[in-house]
Amino acid sequence: SQQGEEDPQALSIQEGENATMNCSYKTSINNLQWYRQNSGRGLVHLILIRSNEREKHSGRLRVTLDTSKKSSSLLITASRAADTASYFCATTSGGGADGLTFGKGTHLIIQP
Amino acid sequence: GAGVSQTPSNKVTEKGKYVELRCDPISGHTALYWYRQSLGQGPEFLIYFQGTGAADDSGLPNDRFFAVRPEGSVSTLKIQRTERGDSAVYLCASSLGVGSGTEQFFGPGTRLTVL
């Protein structure tokens, strides 16, 4: 079963604008990760935020985590055409290197 | 040096047949995962190996699905008596497996089509 729900399901913006995607989950988590999937290619890890962290940055990416609301957001600043992809949040609940529970994803389209 | 590789990249089979999907993880990664992704959905966890043993197989949908990793490296996902509903992209990932939150590196997937 899928843990997370991304919102929106699809997002289309102009190049240079910021894109924000949200993720909600149901059970308590150990950490939350965001992955990108380009059409026809595998998943690429973007960023990980632990349950005791509230915000994390990596380049043009900013992730927030609100464990009280069981939600996370991914912000991509100054979007580029190459950012067009599907974005998934994924969670782990256990203490080991266990499997990820993914959401359904947000399909992001950057218009040139 | 290369990333996770999966073979074949595409597999078309008939309902009722047996298929094997192979995954070669990144060298040195002790943890290996199998996921299944249906069209328009996120990946769904199937099974996870730590070394040679299946640490968690709770995601396998039924007993037609089985996976092995006999030498702690290459893994094979086996599906017996395939059904049309098994059609999906099967993804493999590996990680260092040293603790929670270790980044998983994904392969390109095997697209399975059951006619």
Side-chain angles (χ1 to χ4, degrees):
Chain A
S1 63
Q2 306 211 275
Q3 156 94 292
E5 291 281 341
E6 280 89 343
D7 166 42
Q9 290 186 346
L11 179 62
S12 181
I13 61 173
Q14 294 294 121
E15 193 168 19
E17 294 180 338
N18 296 341
T20 299
M21 290 160 273
N22 303 296
C23 164
S24 60
Y25 56 90
K26 299 172 185 172
T27 63
S28 61
I29 63 170
N30 197 307
N31 65 67
L32 185 144
Q33 306 180 38
W34 284 90
Y35 282 79
R36 182 185 70 217
Q37 186 174 41
N38 293 93
S39 177
R41 300 181 66 179
L43 287 146
V44 174
H45 180 266
L46 295 176
I47 194 166
L48 178 151
I49 186 165
R50 300 193 186 280
S51 59
N52 61 353
E53 297 177 309
R54 292 296 168 258
E55 187 171 311
K56 202 158 184 181
H57 296 255
S58 177
R60 294 184 296 113
L61 305 180
R62 172 178 169 250
V63 169
T64 63
L65 179 64
D66 186 336
T67 54
S68 67
K69 295 180 179 178
K70 291 187 169 61
S71 67
S72 173
S73 68
L74 171 67
L75 168 68
I76 304 174
T77 60
S79 63
R80 306 167 181 169
D83 294 330
T84 294
S86 290
Y87 291 81
F88 297 91
C89 67
T91 57
T92 61
S93 305
D98 49 352
L100 296 167
T101 302
F102 283 85
K104 293 183 179 180
T106 291
H107 185 53
L108 175 65
I109 297 173
I110 308 299
Q111 310 268 7
Chain B
V4 177
S5 63
Q6 293 185 247
T7 54
S9 55
N10 282 284
K11 176 71 177 178
V12 180
T13 191
E14 293 180 342
K15 180 175 178 292
K17 298 290 188 183
Y18 167 83
V19 296
E20 289 190 352
L21 312 179
R22 177 188 168 108
C23 172
D24 281 84
I26 292 172
S27 177
H29 281 192
T30 61
L32 185 146
Y33 311 80
W34 283 99
Y35 296 85
R36 177 170 69 174
Q37 186 174 23
S38 300
L39 191 63
Q41 302 291 315
E44 179 183 10
F45 169 74
L46 297 177
I47 186 170
Y48 143 56
F49 288 89
Q50 185 65 263
T52 60
D56 181 359
D57 64 357
S58 62
L60 295 177
N62 52 60
D63 61 7
R64 294 187 298 106
F65 288 75
F66 189 71
V68 296
R69 195 186 185 199
E71 298 178 358
S73 178
V74 171
S75 176
T76 304
L77 178 66
K78 307 179 180 191
I79 310 174
Q80 299 176 322
R81 304 183 305 280
T82 52
E83 299 176 357
R84 293 195 180 88
D86 299 335
S87 296
V89 176
Y90 288 80
L91 297 167
C92 175
S94 69
S95 77
L96 287 171
V98 295
S100 179
T102 307
E103 177 183 350
Q104 294 185 22
F105 295 82
F106 282 80
T110 293
R111 183 175 298 277
L112 175 66
T113 303
V114 182
L115 301 177

